[in-house]
Structures are given as C-alpha cells and as structure tokens.
Amino acid sequence: MTRILIVEDEPSYLDPLLYQLTREGYEAYGAATGEEAWSIYEEMEFDLVLLDLMLPGVSGMTLCRRMRELRRVPIIMVTAKSTENDVIVGLEIGADDYVTKPYSFRELLARIHAVLRRSLEGQDEGARADAVRTLSCGPVEMSVAAHEVHVHGELTAFPLKEFEVLEYLLRNKGHVLTRHQLIARVWGSDYVGDTKTLDVHVKRIRAKIEDDPAHPTLLTTVRGVGYRIGA
C-alpha cells in the first residue's frame, strides 16, 4: 500500500485529507508540526510527502531540506503563498510540485497520482540512463549516475527538477525542445500546474551555467518554440 505523510497544522485541512486519502486506498499519516513530522519520517519509509510551508516551530522549508538530505522521496508543497518567489524557493530546495490553498481534493489527488507515477517511471529509467554516464556542453559536465554537475570544473548544486530539465536538454544538445516536450518529460504529460514552473527552472539553471544569465549564450530561447542548449 502506498504510504503518504501529510504535514499540516490546520485540522480543517489535515483531518479531511487523512480521511479522503484513506478512502482512496492510501496509507495516510498526519503530523501537525515539523518536529512531529520529522520524528515520523525518521522512523518510517514514505512514498510521498504533502508538506505545508507555514508550520509552527520547524518551517516547511527547513523540513523539506532535512527530508531531502535523509532520503529521496517525492514532495508536494502545499502553501497559501503563490508569488513567483515563493514558488522558486520551494522548487529550488527540492519540492516536486506545489499546490496553493484553497485547493480541491480532486486536483490534489491528480497531482499525487502524477508525482507517484513519475517517481516509479524515474526508477525504471534510472538504469537506462546509466548507459550514458556523462553529458556535457561547453563548461557544463553532468555525471548522471552520481547526480553531479560541474560548471567550469566546480561542483554546482542542482535540485532534482533542475537536474532533470538540464539532463533532458543535454541529451538533446543542439536540438530545440518545445515547452510541451520539456514539461511532459520532467513533470509528466498530464501535469496540471502553472507552466511558469518551467520558466522558473530555466532561469535558475541559467544563473548557474551562464557567464551572463541576462544574456544567455549556452541555454537559449527559440522564440515561439522552446529552449535549446548548445549550437
């Protein structure tokens, strides 16, 4: 049975989610504080975490970082904040998706299904990806198996989704990839989130690989089509 941890301090959200996800066939656990969530997370293996950003005590951002350091589990951030900066920060520290309050349970369930499916597909594709262990373009060198990226010889941190976007671009070096192709490959063909998520990731990648991110020459935009890395 798929096991989900819900970290939510508002009973009006937590209690219905526990009930509804259990009815959907999931094994659901709840925690109202970051400390309680961490204690449960250390003791048990989970397939997915629903993580509220606004928590008493240990913040959702801090908890997300700690969870990522311990093990790689898909995380959907749930937040009342929806500004671009909030989205960037959440995605940068490792969240796989985000949902803003108020939300419908059916929408949230669709996001859960999509993230879980991509997680399973990613495990299957991991072995195939190892066949090409190193990808490179200009100053960028990626070790797929080690999940490492070096830029100008310096090890550079790339959260999971940024890594996946860059990897797909590098595997198609010199070719234009449409926004739809990138979103479908990294977030799934049934992704229902805001498409600006891709733009946020491209912006973050450019900040790490371009000498002048405001005038990119390596990862370029092909107006009206999509993105390309390399000539």
Side-chain angles (χ1 to χ4, degrees):
M1 184 179 292
T2 301
R3 185 179 291 168
I4 297 176
L5 174 61
I6 308 165
V7 189
E8 170 62 70
D9 67 318
E10 296 184 41
S12 60
Y13 280 100
L14 178 59
D15 294 340
L17 273 179
L18 286 169
Y19 173 74
Q20 291 168 319
L21 288 175
T22 300
R23 286 195 60 185
E24 291 290 331
Y26 294 105
E27 185 179 349
Y29 293 78
T33 67
E35 292 85 351
E36 181 185 4
W38 181 247
S39 178
I40 296 172
Y41 188 81
E42 281 188 306
E43 296 297 324
M44 303 176 66
E45 296 280 345
F46 289 91
D47 299 290
L48 182 136
V49 177
L50 295 177
L51 178 59
D52 186 18
L53 285 183
M54 306 294 288
L55 294 171
V58 177
S59 71
M61 293 292 189
T62 299
L63 188 58
C64 182
R65 291 191 186 95
R66 292 172 64 182
M67 286 178 167
R68 281 290 190 222
E69 289 171 358
L70 183 62
R71 65 178 73 96
R72 182 172 295 175
V73 174
I75 296 174
I76 298 178
M77 284 203 163
V78 182
T79 176
K81 298 182 176 182
S82 59
T83 67
E84 181 174 302
N85 187 60
D86 295 318
V87 174
I88 290 173
V89 173
L91 296 173
E92 185 181 22
I93 64 175
D96 295 90
D97 201 354
Y98 71 96
V99 179
T100 56
K101 296 178 180 178
Y103 54 80
S104 73
F105 177 69
R106 303 315 301 180
E107 176 194 357
L108 180 60
L109 190 61
R111 300 284 187 97
I112 290 171
H113 289 166
V115 169
L116 287 172
R117 187 181 63 256
R118 290 196 299 273
S119 177
L120 291 174
E121 290 172 351
Q123 292 172 19
D124 294 337
E125 291 176 0
R128 294 196 295 272
D130 284 348
V132 181
R133 293 182 176 272
T134 303
L135 302 169
S136 63
C137 183
V140 180
E141 184 171 294
M142 171 183 284
S143 173
V144 177
H147 199 88
E148 292 181 347
V149 179
H150 287 79
V151 182
H152 293 294
E154 296 290 330
L155 182 62
T156 306
F158 277 77
L160 180 60
K161 290 304 177 187
E162 286 180 25
F163 187 93
E164 291 177 345
V165 171
L166 180 59
E167 179 187 355
Y168 192 43
L169 286 162
L170 289 172
R171 288 187 184 278
N172 294 275
K173 182 171 61 174
H175 297 282
V176 179
L177 296 176
T178 67
R179 290 166 58 83
H180 176 74
Q181 285 176 308
L182 284 160
I183 290 171
R185 174 62 180 79
V186 177
W187 285 273
S189 58
D190 58 351
Y191 178 67
V192 295
D194 195 321
T195 57
K196 71 180 180 182
T197 296
L198 173 61
D199 301 323
V200 167
H201 282 75
V202 169
K203 181 178 180 181
R204 298 296 304 177
I205 292 170
R206 281 175 171 160
K208 297 174 182 180
I209 69 173
E210 297 280 358
D211 293 329
D212 182 2
H215 301 90
T217 59
L218 187 62
L219 174 48
T220 56
T221 300
V222 179
R223 189 174 298 277
V225 183
Y227 297 102
R228 174 177 58 205
I229 196 166

